[in-house]
Every structure is written in structure tokens, then in C-alpha cells.
Amino acid sequence: MADAESIQRPPVDSDASARARDLLNQLGESAPAELVWDLRFQLEILSESLKEHQARSLGLEEENEQLRARVTRERSDYVALRASMDELLNLHELTEKISTSFAIADILEALMDLSARFLPSQSSAVFSFSEGDSSLSVLLTRGGERVVECVRDQINDGIIDWVLREQHPVVVEDMQTVEQEEVTVCSVVLVPLRVRGKDVGLYALYCGRPKDAFTAGEMELLSVLANQTAIALENARLYSALEASNTQLKDSQQQLIMAEKMAALGRLAGGVAHEVNNPLQIILSRVQLMRMNGEVPERLLAGLDSVEHNVRRITKIIRGLLDMAGHRAAESEWRSCDVGHALQQTIDLVRPQLEQAKIELVVNCPGDLPQIVGNIGELEQVFLNLMINAQNAMTDGGLLQVIAGIEGARLFVRFVDTGVGIPDAVLDQIFDPFFTTRSDQGGTGLGLAVSYGIVERHGGTISVESECGKGTSFELRFPIAVGEAQ
């Protein structure tokens, strides 16, 4: 269809009409008047028809132009609608990833993937604010370190503070590329991450185009993605804090349960141990006197040996009960203790026994460990119990590592063996009094229970990790004495 400008509108009195009038004038001298009048009438009718045709043609042209403009508008609206649908799909995908994962790394990867769909960049990075100050820490980078260098330069220039005050994306050109000739001007897009009125971080993109090449739509979509990411990061932080609180609550409950068990056993030991111990000593004395008497028949000696063996075993159990109840830990015996020295004393005591059992002993214990307040004899008893347990778990030899050090305000001692391990089914019971897996070898089930009570009285904790066939790790943690923290 031709454009309206290309159509020439004929005048009302065209050349053909003028020639027709000339002919009529020529005929008017020789032709009958009636014929001339009729011809003039037909000419007027044709002229009116021509005018009507021209008006209709102009109307059709105007309608055609209106249709063209409407098609153009609808095509523009369609393109804008498709762009909006793409934006909504991007936002939906990000929201879906946020709702299905609380992992910070996954959230940040999703942010970078989705922003790259509408705003390609040479490199990008996400920063978080360090607690206690306004410095930025790098959480994740992609595509190189130039973006990190630019952000650090902007911090020194005060640009980052301005971006955080503005609370919307800001584009800053890389002055190194601006000052160099024949180099493409690059820019850094700084997007604040903010949730509930609190700045939680910054998203930065290093793009190979000047500042004026960015559109308002790109900045708006970046802002929406940044807001979604900030909410996701805050949710991930809250979820991690909730998980940590839940774990701590479970540990506290377990400690309370164990403490109640130990308290009950301590009351039992205090009421029963002394009553039982005296009669046992009498029995043991009588047995020894009877054996010293030469008149005892030979057939009774074996029975006396059995009686003496079992009496001594009962005495050992009672001694463990008394130790567990704390009757041998008088306050007057508590003082500053050199854990490193106590540990070395115990190691020297059991080293020959471990060598005989073909167990390699590796010790990593600094010589400047701080002291703790407690009973040195009880601490040595705990160390001895754990090392003997490790030996019993490595019947065919193995490796025992003893590691000591400081983490925060607490001193730790770790015993790691390569023994048979502890089954998961009984791992929660190993600190219960009288629980043992070596009853056939004379185990009383009091070693770990006594150790737990001693560590608890010293304000410390004892934890265990084990895997069948690979070994077991016991870790002791004690509070450092006041003035000893390094």
C-alpha cells in the first residue's frame, strides 16, 4: 500500500474537465442548445462524483494510517510484554531457588546466574559487612579480581557509603579505562543488599560499557534481585542460628540428663559404698588369714582364690563409685594445674604398655599451655582411662594421637585412635555407669562414667566421635584459669 504522501490528490477541476468544457463551448455555436445543456448537466454530475471519490480516498488513507499506528503500538506493547514476562520468569526462578535452599553459596550463585541473563559482566562479586565495623568481606567472586579491586578503590573514595545511603544501584566508571586511549570504557555497577532497614552486603558487577549505556530497566531489575537476595541471605543466617541453637539445646539436655544420672549415682555411692566396703575388708582379711593357715585343705585353696579375686573386684567397683561421687576431690586439693605436665606424666606411665601392644604414640602438646583450676590427680586419672580405652580398642596395634591446644578461651585435649570404633547404637550410652562392652574381660563400666564426672566438676566438657572400623576420637575441653588466657 502506498504512503499517503505518495498519492497526489487531483484538483476538483482536472484537465479532463477543462477540455470537456472547451468542447462544449465549441459545440455551443453549432450544436442544439438542448444537447449542450444535457452535456453540461452530465459534466456536473461527473465532477461531483469525482469529488466524492477523492473524499472517500482521503478517508481510506487516514484510516490506513490509523491502522498502521495501531499495529506499531501493539507491536511495541507485545515486545514490552515479552520483556516483562522474562523479568517475571527470572524473579520466579530466583524466588524458587531461595525457597528450596538455605545455603548461602547457592543463593549467591543464583543471583549471579540470573543477573547475567539481562546484564552481562566481565566479573562479579558479592560482599558482606563484617560484624563490628563497616568493612567488606568477599563472599563469592566470578570472572576475575578486577571487580574486587574497583570496589576497594570505591571504599577509599567514599563511594560505597554514598551507594548505601542512596539505597539503589549506582554505576561508576572505571577511571583506568577512561584515562586510556583506544580502550573500551568499563563501569562498575554497585548494588546494595539491604533487608529490614539493615545493610547486609553489596553486589558488584564489572561491565565492559560506559555509564550512559545502562538502562533504567536493568537497574530496576537488579534492585529487585538484590532485595530478594538480601532477604534470602538473612533467612539463611537465621536458619543457621536456629540450627546452632537447636544443637546447643540438645547438647545441654544431654548434659542435664547425664548430670542427673551422675548425681543420683553419687548419692547412691555416698550411702552404700562405705557400708559395703567395711564388710568386704573383713572378708578379705579372713580369706588371707585362712590361706596363711597351713591347715587349710588343698581343695579349698582354689575357692579362697576365687573369693579373694571377686572381693578385690567389688572393692575396685566401690572405689570407682567413690571417685565418681567426688569423695576424693576435696576442695583443699584444688589448685592451678599444669595440664601439659599432667598429660606428659600419664604418657610416660603408659608408653611402655602401648609399645608392648604395638601401638604407635604421636604427641602434639605445646610446652606453654595455660593452667586450669582443678585436681591434678583426677585429671591424670581421666587421661589414663582414655588412653587405656584406646589401647583396648586396638588389639592388633595401631596409632594413638594425643593433641593439646587452645581454642578461644578453652583448653582442649584430644585422644584419637585407629581402633575398632564404637557402634552408633551404643554411642549415647558409653558414659552411663556400669555400661561396658568388655564385661568378659573384667570391665566394670565405670571408667568413662568416672571420667565424665571428673571433667564436669572441672567445668569442662567431654565429647566423642567414632566410626566403626576407623577409630574413635575423645575431646576434653576445660576453661582456662583467670589470668592464663593467651
Side-chain angles (χ1 to χ4, degrees), residues 64-77:
N64 188 33
E65 288 297 324
Q66 292 176 357
L67 288 174
R68 281 201 189 95
R70 182 177 177 182
V71 170
T72 302
R73 288 195 305 270
E74 289 182 351
R75 182 180 293 112
S76 177
D77 293 341

Side-chain angles (χ1 to χ4, degrees), residues 266-323:
R267 291 191 294 269
L268 174 64
V272 175
H274 289 295
E275 297 296 330
V276 175
N277 191 53
N278 291 335
L280 287 176
Q281 294 301 321
I282 295 174
I283 295 173
L284 184 59
S285 299
R286 294 298 183 185
V287 168
Q288 292 174 347
L289 289 173
M290 291 177 66
R291 294 186 59 179
M292 293 172 61
N293 189 346
E295 298 179 356
V296 178
E298 188 68 26
R299 58 186 179 85
L300 294 180
L301 288 177
L304 292 176
D305 290 340
S306 177
V307 171
E308 182 178 359
H309 171 74
N310 285 281
V311 168
R312 292 188 182 279
R313 187 169 183 271
I314 295 173
T315 302
K316 180 180 178 182
I317 293 175
I318 293 175
R319 188 180 301 113
L321 289 172
L322 290 173
D323 291 342

Side-chain angles (χ1 to χ4, degrees), residues 78-242:
Y78 173 75
V79 172
L81 180 61
R82 286 296 303 269
S84 298
M85 290 179 62
D86 290 339
E87 293 179 3
L88 290 175
L89 289 174
N90 287 339
L91 294 177
H92 173 72
E93 184 172 349
L94 177 63
T95 304
E96 184 178 7
K97 289 186 178 181
I98 291 174
S99 62
T100 55
S101 174
F102 287 103
I104 292 179
D106 293 342
I107 296 171
L108 300 183
E109 289 285 352
L111 171 64
M112 292 182 175
D113 291 340
L114 294 173
S115 63
R117 293 184 181 181
F118 62 90
L119 186 58
S121 61
Q122 297 178 9
S123 60
S124 58
V126 181
F127 304 82
S128 68
F129 287 103
S130 301
E131 296 183 2
D133 55 33
S134 58
S135 62
L136 291 174
S137 302
V138 180
L139 290 179
L140 182 67
T141 59
R142 178 186 291 183
E145 295 294 327
R146 181 55 188 161
V147 65
V148 177
E149 297 173 1
C150 289
V151 170
R152 288 173 178 165
D153 293 339
Q154 306 305 329
I155 293 177
N156 298 331
D157 295 339
I159 302 297
I160 299 300
D161 293 335
W162 174 61
V163 172
L164 297 177
R165 288 195 301 270
E166 292 295 317
Q167 299 182 18
H168 63 73
V170 174
V171 181
V172 181
E173 290 184 339
D174 184 3
M175 297 307 299
Q176 289 188 8
T177 60
V178 173
E179 296 171 354
Q180 297 179 10
E181 297 181 358
E182 299 181 357
V183 174
T184 303
V185 176
C186 298
S187 302
V188 182
V189 184
L190 305 172
V191 190
L193 301 178
R194 187 177 179 86
V195 59
R196 287 192 284 273
K198 177 184 176 183
D199 296 317
V200 297
L202 184 77
Y203 181 38
L205 301 96
Y206 189 79
C207 304
R209 50 174 157 165
K211 179 180 180 179
D212 297 337
F214 295 89
T215 66
E218 291 172 339
M219 297 298 101
E220 182 178 357
L221 189 54
L222 264 181
S223 181
V224 174
L225 292 178
N227 291 335
Q228 293 284 344
T229 303
I231 294 173
L233 292 175
E234 182 68 8
N235 289 340
R237 184 190 67 81
L238 294 175
Y239 179 78
S240 298
L242 180 62

Side-chain angles (χ1 to χ4, degrees), residues 343-447:
L343 188 59
Q344 192 60 52
Q345 290 279 88
T346 309
I347 290 173
D348 292 340
L349 178 64
V350 301
R351 189 187 298 274
Q353 188 173 337
L354 295 177
E355 292 177 351
Q356 186 177 2
K358 298 181 181 179
I359 296 175
E360 180 183 358
L361 180 62
V362 177
V363 181
N364 184 1
C365 178
D368 57 348
L369 286 176
Q371 297 188 352
I372 69 171
V373 176
N375 182 286
I376 193 69
E378 289 191 344
L379 294 177
E380 291 178 348
Q381 179 180 350
V382 173
F383 300 155
L384 182 62
N385 284 340
L386 295 178
M387 296 179 73
I388 294 301
N389 283 350
Q391 177 189 344
N392 293 331
M394 296 183 285
T395 55
D396 297 327
L399 173 65
L400 173 60
Q401 299 182 69
V402 181
I403 307 167
I406 306 171
E407 287 184 359
R410 300 181 79 84
L411 182 148
F412 73 87
V413 182
R414 193 176 298 127
F415 299 86
V416 184
D417 66 59
T418 58
V420 295
I422 304 173
D424 292 339
V426 300
L427 195 59
D428 293 337
Q429 307 175 46
I430 60 173
F431 296 110
D432 291 348
F434 302 109
F435 177 83
T436 179
T437 58
R438 298 189 305 108
S439 57
D440 57 337
Q441 303 174 25
T444 62
L446 290 174

